[in-house]
Amino acid sequence: MDQQDTTDASPKFTFLSLITRTISGLGGGIAGTIILLIIYMLSNSVLQPVLTQTKEGTDVTPLFTIVIMAMVFVALLAANIFAPLFISFTQGDRYKRTATALFQIFIINVVIFMMLVPVYLFSANAGLEFMSFVAGIQMALAVIGSALVFEVISNYKYVLLGIYSIIFAVLASIVFSGILFQATGSALVLLFLALPLLWGGIGFTFGIVGMIYSWVVSTWGVDYLASNQEYSKDYGVQEDENEVEIVEPAPEDTEGVDFLRK
């Protein structure tokens, strides 16, 4: 049996799964935030002078840039590892390849970080505001990538359900973050709330979308978001797996036998 077949069970979501997924996502985000806070406190002597200066005098040092890069990367990696790990405990029948998923999540986080290193170095000359923007982009990309990798490896058949849920969650988190920034005016507050907001939102939104989709499937009897569902001209284009190719046998050579008999 193919390994994929063991993970392609129809999605089953209940109110309990909604609560447990939300708590698990929040737990992973909070774990990353705790690590972020620890690094911030240990490197306070480097970060605080730059964070407290006025916009006119913003002068980002190379050491400040390195500390920010390390702080964001380590905190993100922790949140993106712990949140999927906690979520996998809520639905053991769905998430059966957790070790493989976590390994791939580690890889994608390293790749995203390496791609953004030149942008961080450029932002050292552009100012603190631009560096905060780059850190936000890294958080959004790393969380979205990690959540997608987790869903693709865990249950490829219903990866579309995960994509829709993640998009809704990220959009809602961005809107809420914008409202929070308008209310507080502090980018530092958003930095510490971003990971719980993103992963908690992903856990909650995936549970809500999953519950609605389970009701749709049970009501109409059509698995609309299954990756093997075909529509329009694609219907029936796949070859029948049970079809057996008929091979004509080679003709028997009788000329040599007749020659020997003579």
Side-chain angles (χ1 to χ4, degrees):
M1 179 181 293
D2 191 356
Q3 193 174 19
Q4 181 180 331
D5 296 338
T6 63
T7 60
D8 282 351
S10 299
K12 301 295 182 183
F13 292 91
T14 62
F15 183 74
L16 178 60
S17 65
L18 169 66
I19 299 299
T20 54
R21 286 184 68 95
T22 304
I23 294 175
S24 299
L26 277 173
I30 291 172
T33 301
I34 291 174
I35 293 177
L36 186 70
L37 181 61
I38 292 174
I39 299 175
Y40 174 79
M41 294 175 64
L42 292 175
S43 56
N44 190 50
S45 60
V46 176
L47 299 178
Q48 196 62 32
V50 179
L51 294 175
T52 55
Q53 60 190 351
T54 60
K55 292 183 180 179
E56 291 79 6
T58 301
D59 188 16
V60 179
T61 63
L63 182 58
F64 178 87
T65 305
I66 293 174
V67 171
I68 287 292
M69 289 168 54
M71 183 172 68
V72 174
F73 172 71
V74 174
L76 261 176
L77 184 61
N80 294 341
I81 292 293
F82 281 117
L85 179 63
F86 295 159
I87 291 175
S88 68
F89 295 144
T90 65
Q91 291 178 296
D93 56 336
R94 176 184 175 88
Y95 301 111
K96 297 181 179 179
R97 304 178 62 196
T98 305
T100 302
L102 295 181
F103 176 77
Q104 295 296 339
I105 287 172
F106 173 81
I107 296 297
I108 196 171
N109 276 266
V110 172
V111 170
I112 291 174
F113 173 71
M114 295 301 295
M115 292 176 63
L116 289 177
V117 165
V119 186
Y120 270 112
L121 297 178
F122 171 79
S123 68
N125 299 322
L128 185 59
E129 250 185 61
F130 188 77
M131 181 174 290
S132 301
F133 177 75
V134 175
I137 292 294
Q138 182 184 356
M139 282 190 173
L141 289 177
V143 171
I144 292 173
S146 300
L148 287 176
V149 167
F150 183 53
E151 293 300 329
V152 168
I153 293 179
S154 300
N155 199 331
Y156 176 77
K157 183 177 180 181
Y158 293 101
V159 67
L160 288 175
L161 183 63
I163 291 175
Y164 287 129
S165 304
I166 292 166
I167 290 174
F168 293 152
V170 171
L171 289 177
S173 299
I174 291 174
V175 171
F176 186 78
S177 298
I179 296 173
L180 190 62
F181 180 75
Q182 291 295 326
T184 61
S186 174
L188 190 61
V189 174
L190 289 181
L191 181 65
F192 287 104
L193 292 180
L195 292 176
L197 279 177
L198 286 170
W199 273 111
I202 287 175
F204 177 78
T205 307
F206 196 97
I208 289 290
V209 174
M211 290 174 64
I212 296 174
Y213 183 67
S214 297
W215 174 78
V216 169
V217 173
S218 62
T219 302
W220 280 276
V222 181
D223 207 350
Y224 295 100
L225 294 182
S227 60
N228 58 359
Q229 180 69 33
E230 298 172 342
Y231 297 97
S232 187
K233 294 182 180 180
D234 292 336
Y235 184 76
V237 297
Q238 294 182 350
E239 296 182 359
D240 187 3
E241 296 179 355
N242 297 324
E243 184 178 350
V244 179
E245 183 181 359
I246 301 176
V247 180
E248 294 289 340
E252 185 179 357
D253 184 11
T254 58
E255 295 181 359
V257 177
D258 293 339
F259 175 78
L260 292 176
R261 287 177 179 176
K262 293 178 180 179

